[in-house]
Amino acid sequence: GAGVSQSPRYKVAKRGQDVALRCDPISGHVSLFWYQQALGQGPEFLTYFQNEAQLDKSGLPSDRFFAERPEGSVSTLKIQRTQQEDSAVYLCASSLAAELRNTIYFGEGSWLTVV
Amino acid sequence: AQTVTQSQPEMSVQEAETVTLSCTYDTSENNYYLFWYKQPPSRQMILVIRQEAYKQQNATENRFSVNFQKAAKSFSLKISDSQLGDTAMYFCAFMKGASGSRLTFGEGTQLTVNP
């Protein structure tokens, strides 16, 4: 695709509901990142994939958060039993390879509001 | 752990003038990269400029330039000939010099360019 695509763009969930956020990286991009951005703050790292392998999940805030990328392309971030503090923009980013010279491209994010 | 600090929550500048955004960081790494990202209301993070720590020469991209002071751990962004389209949130970010490294962001500076 032309850019990193995320869906849904906006999601309102009732507290306790499960949500799934999807990321379509740029075609052929090996590296994929998820970040969480609370209102008025900078993004914070959640997890990193290289192809289908989840190489770093140290930023996931609790065991209610789970991410997968089973075929090395599309990724899904799942949040179980959502709580109000989960309200944030969830940003997905991808890059062509793990090499640092490759630019990281961000999507427009999925805005999650938990009520 | 790395930290990135942006001490100016808000800045404003008149169109066509020059403005400088400040950023300091703390790390024990010797090999790393620094970035400035722009985030308009759409929330998509757009790369403005990047600097490799091993390069002494300051990076420039058209109207954007940085003042990288490695010993002082300072990385400021200068925007020349400011345009209305430069109005956005600006984030300073740090990344270790290893493949698959995460970005660590500052709190951001809201820049407003006034006509």
Side-chain angles (χ1 to χ4, degrees):
Chain A
V4 179
S5 178
Q6 293 188 245
S7 61
R9 286 296 318 279
Y10 305 94
K11 175 70 177 178
V12 178
K14 290 185 178 179
R15 190 169 52 185
Q17 236 180 345
D18 296 350
V19 299
L21 308 177
R22 176 187 169 105
C23 173
D24 275 275
I26 295 172
S27 179
H29 276 200
V30 166
S31 294
L32 185 145
F33 300 83
W34 283 99
Y35 290 84
Q36 179 190 56
Q37 186 177 20
L39 188 64
Q41 297 183 20
E44 293 194 356
F45 170 82
L46 293 176
T47 188
Y48 163 66
F49 289 86
Q50 186 173 323
N51 294 307
E52 69 279 2
Q54 189 175 21
L55 299 185
D56 188 350
K57 56 180 180 179
S58 61
L60 296 176
S62 76
D63 58 8
R64 296 186 297 105
F65 286 71
F66 172 77
E68 60 182 3
R69 194 186 184 196
E71 296 178 0
S73 55
V74 171
S75 177
T76 303
L77 176 67
K78 297 179 179 177
I79 309 173
Q80 297 178 323
R81 305 181 303 282
T82 52
Q83 300 176 7
Q84 283 191 319
E85 60 261 32
D86 299 336
S87 295
V89 176
Y90 291 85
L91 295 168
C92 178
S94 71
S95 66
L96 183 59
E99 285 78 16
L100 297 171
R101 65 179 179 275
N102 292 287
T103 300
I104 298 172
Y105 296 90
F106 281 82
E108 291 187 309
S110 289
W111 299 55
L112 172 65
T113 302
V114 181
V115 297
Chain B
Q2 284 67 231
T3 60
V4 178
T5 302
Q6 294 178 248
S7 58
Q8 305 154 314
E10 297 179 355
M11 294 278 286
S12 63
V13 64
Q14 292 300 119
E15 198 175 3
E17 293 188 348
T18 295
V19 64
T20 298
L21 307 184
S22 301
C23 172
T24 58
Y25 60 95
D26 189 25
T27 184
S28 57
E29 301 286 331
N30 194 46
N31 180 22
Y32 54 89
Y33 294 73
L34 295 164
F35 304 83
W36 279 98
Y37 279 90
K38 170 184 177 182
Q39 188 179 47
S42 70
R43 289 292 186 135
Q44 185 174 25
M45 302 289 275
I46 301 165
L47 179 65
V48 174
I49 198 165
R50 62 182 275 167
Q51 174 80 42
E52 289 86 349
Y54 62 86
K55 289 187 177 179
Q56 292 189 349
Q57 186 173 9
N58 289 324
T60 62
E61 286 289 341
N62 301 313
R63 299 183 294 108
F64 300 88
S65 61
V66 298
N67 183 4
F68 174 46
Q69 301 291 327
K70 190 173 183 179
K73 294 181 181 173
S74 170
F75 183 62
S76 61
L77 174 69
K78 185 171 83 170
I79 306 175
S80 304
D81 186 25
S82 297
Q83 301 176 359
L84 296 178
D86 295 334
T87 293
M89 197 74 167
Y90 286 80
F91 290 95
C92 178
F94 170 100
M95 183 168 69
K96 287 197 295 187
S99 64
S101 294
R102 67 186 70 179
L103 287 161
T104 299
F105 289 89
E107 308 92 330
T109 297
Q110 175 63 47
L111 175 67
T112 301
V113 180
N114 298 308

